[in-house]
Amino acid sequence: MNQDTSSPVRRQGVTGVHSLHRFVFSVPDLAVAVDFYAAFGLDVRRAAGRADLHTHGHPHRWGSIYPSRGAKRLEYLSFGAYAEDFDRVVQQAKRAGAAEARPHALADEGGAWFIDPDGTPVQLVVSSKVTPKAKSDAVSSAPRVGIGAAPSRSSVGPVHPRRLSHILLFSSDVLSSVRFYSEAFGLRLSDRSGDVIAFLHGAHASDHHLIAFAKSDGPGLHHSSWDVASFDEVGLGMQQMIDRGHVHGWGVGRHVLGSNYFRYVRDPWGSFAEYSYDIDFIPADVEWKAADHPAEDSFYVWGPPVPDYFIINHESAARRVAA
């Protein structure tokens, strides 16, 4: 994945995180999670009491999954900051009124801990920047004349996402979540549609969004999004999962906000994993013009109708039952 490393990776005068370091959640059956994400094309590694989500050929651990005693649950988020910024981000979060917290019971790294407005623990660590420094290369097929251009179904290899692009969380108050993550951690609003959905990017160069929030009656993980190398890989990923029995989802289509092509695959717990290609990129020296978009632009430019189950927060419903 070649990138233009001459692009600046620090926005001057801004104190903020540079990456979504990791997302951590739990599920009733860890073996089912391993099977699902391995079929999706990730490098899933079993560790002591958990499964770690890597992408093939990349050293970073993007996510971790633990066994739970009940329904799927988002456990915590982790953001990375430059070492020279860490203390400043911690103090900024405190000034913003972020409630400090004890380390999560499942955490295996140090750092500072806070609680977001929906009660989700948020960790801040010193880490290498894993959010891209420049727009990821797009792979396109050269025009071919006099010979078939499509790959053959019998010989095509598995789709392996290159990296985590972003996550989307449910929130009981989208605009409150935007204020919290902006004021505490220096994320910046990319775009929104009223108080229904909002997208935030990292100030020090990132995709159009590294985290997003959609309105619901409580918190929850809606989807994780994984960058692939071509538009064809979005479709191939869809077929790869259908062939393994994961037929439910949404797409192929193209978003307005972020511009990426997508296929969402529904997981066994009612949330989604997304194949994403060619998302907008915001360099550190570009002032993105955030806007409030009409509702019809908040989902897609083209694609199949949105299935009813796409917007259901199963995690929130399970928390209410447990309470």
Side-chain angles (χ1 to χ4, degrees), residues 35-320:
D35 288 345
F36 176 83
Y37 284 102
F40 188 79
L42 300 184
D43 178 7
V44 185
R45 305 178 189 177
R46 295 297 294 259
R50 69 173 195 259
D52 293 334
L53 302 181
H54 294 254
T55 48
H56 291 271
H58 199 295
H60 189 68
R61 171 164 52 117
W62 304 103
S64 290
I65 313 170
Y66 288 83
S68 71
R69 294 181 179 178
K72 173 188 140 281
R73 184 184 181 93
L74 175 65
E75 297 290 348
Y76 70 89
L77 304 178
S78 181
F79 289 91
Y82 294 117
E84 58 269 34
D85 289 346
F86 180 83
D87 289 339
R88 289 194 292 266
V89 177
V90 169
Q91 293 306 313
Q92 176 176 271
K94 292 179 180 179
R95 289 194 301 271
E100 296 181 76
R102 297 176 62 85
H104 193 284
L106 297 177
D108 59 351
E109 291 179 296
W113 288 86
F114 301 92
I115 299 292
D116 82 358
D118 271 311
T120 300
V122 182
Q123 179 191 40
L124 177 69
V125 298
V126 173
S127 71
S128 299
K129 179 176 168 63
V130 291
T131 295
K133 299 176 182 179
K135 186 173 175 63
S136 298
D137 286 346
V139 177
S140 59
S141 300
R144 302 176 71 180
V145 178
I147 186 173
S152 64
R153 181 78 179 271
S154 60
S155 64
V156 68
V159 172
H160 291 306
R162 300 184 289 186
R163 59 176 175 83
L164 177 68
S165 174
H166 60 266
I167 59 172
L168 187 145
L169 305 183
F170 288 113
S171 172
S172 59
D173 187 333
V174 168
L175 298 185
S176 177
S177 292
V178 169
R179 286 192 297 272
F180 175 83
Y181 283 90
S182 300
E183 294 174 3
F185 301 116
L187 299 180
R188 299 166 72 89
L189 180 66
S190 305
D191 290 292
R192 68 183 177 98
S193 180
D195 65 351
V196 175
I197 193 165
F199 304 87
L200 299 174
H201 65 274
H204 304 304
S206 84
D207 288 340
H208 175 269
H209 48 286
L210 54 78
I211 191 170
F213 298 95
K215 190 171 184 178
S216 182
D217 58 353
L221 173 65
H222 178 271
H223 75 262
S224 58
S225 178
W226 303 86
D227 172 77
V228 295
S230 69
F231 178 59
D232 208 30
E233 285 199 343
V234 176
L236 288 171
M238 175 181 69
Q239 190 63 53
Q240 174 173 301
M241 292 302 277
I242 289 173
D243 290 346
R244 288 161 174 78
H246 300 287
V247 300
H248 298 292
W250 180 40
V252 173
R254 189 179 191 187
H255 287 301
V256 176
L257 308 182
S259 303
N260 50 311
Y261 300 91
F262 64 83
R263 167 65 182 183
Y264 295 87
V265 183
R266 190 171 71 173
D267 67 23
W269 318 282
S271 48
F272 297 85
E274 178 190 18
Y275 295 107
S276 172
Y277 167 64
D278 203 23
I279 194 169
D280 292 328
F281 183 80
I282 305 176
D285 59 351
V286 169
E287 189 70 29
W288 182 270
K289 302 299 182 183
D292 185 0
H293 297 263
E296 60 266 31
D297 288 338
S298 65
F299 264 155
Y300 61 124
V301 187
W302 57 262
V306 182
D308 292 341
Y309 56 74
F310 188 74
I311 58 174
I312 297 175
N313 186 352
H314 296 281
E315 191 172 332
S316 177
R319 291 183 190 219
R320 289 197 307 272

